[in-house]
Amino acid sequence: MRLWFNPASPFARKVRIVARETGLEGRIEEVSILVSPVKPHGELARANPLVKIPALSTPDEGTLYDSAVICEYLDSLHRGMPLFPRSGSERWRELRLHALCDGILDAAVLMRYEAAVRPEALQWPDWVAGQLGKVRGGLDALELECPAWGECFAIGEITAACVLGYLDFRFPGEAWRDSHPALAKWFVTASQRPSVKATVPA
Ligand SMILES: N[C@@H](CCC(=O)N[C@@H](CS)C(=O)NCC(=O)O)C(=O)O
């Protein structure tokens, strides 16, 4: 299988952590590419009409996107503990947490594009403030619920690790640890996992 990714992408990191947590990384060729919403990447465009990473070419299901679909596909290929619980309230808890963390990432990536891609004259501070409100509201929710996560490291917690790693990487001034001590403590432990260590954004 071939994974188009970039080491800076938090959505691609989620897939790379899942590949490692499921023992599938040896079956995946990781191809690092640069993407931009205003300069479509030719090879990626042929694989994913949305021209976004991550995208995964598979032997049986064509090219899959987006990160949630790829992660669930990889989870179907191994026999260990499912990262997407199959049923019951555990499943809905993980899917909701996954959606919350993906929403934080969507807002954070949009903020990044606003600063790094959009011409300065077109930037709109109120819009950035709106996205930052989603990031901070999401972090406040994670702070309240993370004490209940325990040892669990399924799709929701994996995506939470990607959120915190991305904020450290792109928004170090946000200093999220100061106002989210429980989350900071959780992230110290999560960061020790080999899958998380091997995929630190660069
Ligand atoms: N919902 C998508 C989001 C993917 C995404 O936004 N990827 C960014 C990089 S972090 C990208 O490819 N941006 C290029 C673009 O927007 O054209 C997923 O979960 O895979």
Side-chain angles (χ1 to χ4, degrees), residues 11-200:
F11 295 104
R13 186 183 192 193
K14 189 207 305 180
V15 170
R16 298 174 74 219
I17 292 177
V18 165
R20 285 156 179 79
E21 291 288 332
T22 53
L24 294 166
E25 77 269 30
R27 289 171 57 184
I28 298 174
E29 178 201 4
E30 295 188 337
V31 181
S32 179
I33 59 171
L34 276 177
V35 292
S36 160
V38 291
K39 276 192 215 141
H41 185 283
E43 185 191 336
L44 181 63
R46 288 188 286 281
N48 174 1
L50 302 176
V51 207
K52 290 188 179 191
I53 51 172
L56 180 79
S57 72
T58 72
D60 42 6
E61 306 299 343
T63 301
L64 295 179
Y65 44 84
D66 59 18
S67 61
V69 175
I70 298 171
C71 290
E72 194 155 1
Y73 173 76
L74 294 179
D75 199 33
S76 74
L77 298 184
H78 75 116
R79 290 180 182 276
M81 180 76 87
L83 300 178
F84 289 74
R86 305 288 188 249
S87 62
S89 57
E90 208 189 333
R91 173 172 171 77
W92 300 114
R93 192 190 72 80
E94 283 298 331
L95 293 188
R96 186 200 47 78
L97 179 58
H98 184 193
L100 171 60
C101 293
D102 266 1
I104 299 172
L105 286 178
D106 282 335
V109 167
L110 288 176
M111 284 170 59
R112 166 70 188 164
Y113 285 153
E114 182 79 1
V117 178
R118 193 182 293 276
E120 207 172 331
L122 300 178
Q123 291 178 11
W124 183 15
D126 287 355
W127 187 88
V128 175
Q131 301 306 321
L132 184 57
K134 295 179 198 299
V135 171
R136 290 181 175 162
L139 288 175
D140 291 348
L142 296 180
E143 172 73 6
L144 290 179
E145 57 189 89
C146 71
W149 296 348
E151 301 286 302
C152 183
F153 199 64
I155 191 62
E157 292 82 7
I158 288 171
T159 313
C162 296
V163 165
L164 302 176
Y166 189 69
L167 294 179
D168 282 347
F169 178 57
R170 289 296 191 205
F171 302 97
E174 184 58 18
W176 59 269
R177 286 174 181 77
D178 295 350
S179 42
H180 303 90
L183 206 47
K185 188 170 166 215
W186 175 84
F187 193 46
V188 169
T189 307
S191 298
Q192 302 306 314
R193 297 183 81 92
S195 63
V196 178
K197 276 188 178 168
T199 56
V200 171

